[in-house]
Amino acid sequence: MAPWLDLRTFPVFDEDVLGASAVTEAAKAGILGAFAGSVGAGAFGWWIASPREQVLREMGRSGAFFAAASGAFYGTKTVVGQLRNKDDMWNAPAGGLVAGVLLGLRAGKANSVLAHAVFLPLVIGTAEWANRAMPSTVVKPTSEKHDPDFFKWPRRDPFAERWAEIQKRDAEKSS
């Protein structure tokens, strides 16, 4: 990945949940959610070849819903962390509960609200637990994996080097 595209160097959300502003974090999540919802709805509308007016209307609806759901999730996660004065894995499922309720309300049925309010926190909690339980999965920066001589010309030929070693050894044996 190009260094100017590496999003890990420019974190969007505040790393310190306890010191972050819940309103600011919810607004940032809402902006990202609106973008993701609009792009997803636009791509889906393009894929099924819907009329342009219908695609634009669905982009607005999906963008608004994803903005509300992601803002509610991240805002609740931050508020719960600040109320409990802990930044642990239990903050995210609390935010997932609120986002699940919103997702269920969009479906318009009481049993859907209950199902989303139960299963979304379970999924988010499992992902949060896995993220915190496996610190060895941290991706190393590309500078540590990059071979600086990769683009040098002429390229190193390991087969030719090995063949030269074998010929040199055979010449020493026959002498």
Side-chain angles (χ1 to χ4, degrees):
M1 181 184 296
W4 47 273
L5 283 178
D6 191 7
L7 296 178
R8 292 174 291 176
T9 59
F10 301 108
V12 176
F13 299 108
D14 196 355
E15 295 289 326
D16 179 27
V17 174
L18 302 178
S21 167
V23 175
T24 304
E25 298 300 306
K28 290 190 278 189
I31 290 169
L32 289 176
F35 178 74
S38 297
V39 168
F44 182 73
W46 171 81
W47 183 260
I48 63 171
S50 293
R52 183 176 54 160
E53 295 81 21
Q54 185 179 356
V55 171
L56 291 174
R57 188 171 46 250
E58 187 59 33
M59 285 174 68
R61 287 181 55 220
S62 291
F65 171 73
F66 277 93
S70 59
F73 166 76
Y74 213 87
T76 304
K77 176 183 172 182
T78 306
V79 167
V80 167
Q82 290 172 353
L83 288 175
R84 295 176 58 236
N85 202 22
K86 290 183 181 179
D87 184 15
D88 59 5
M89 67 165 275
W90 297 107
N91 299 336
L97 175 72
V98 174
V101 167
L102 286 176
L103 189 61
L105 287 174
R106 186 175 190 202
K109 297 179 182 176
N111 59 355
S112 180
V113 172
L114 180 64
H116 285 95
V118 170
F119 290 115
L120 192 59
L122 286 175
V123 170
I124 290 174
T126 304
E128 187 77 14
W129 170 81
N131 185 30
R132 291 176 185 262
M134 299 182 208
S136 62
T137 59
V138 174
V139 178
K140 292 182 179 177
T142 55
S143 60
E144 292 179 19
K145 294 188 284 184
H146 178 66
D147 180 14
D149 297 331
F150 182 76
F151 291 109
K152 277 192 175 177
W153 196 261
R155 287 192 175 163
R156 184 178 149 258
D157 188 2
F159 299 108
E161 292 172 5
R162 180 68 178 141
W163 182 247
E165 289 175 11
I166 293 171
Q167 288 179 333
K168 181 180 173 185
R169 186 183 65 216
D170 288 346
E172 289 174 356
K173 285 183 181 178
S174 62
S175 300

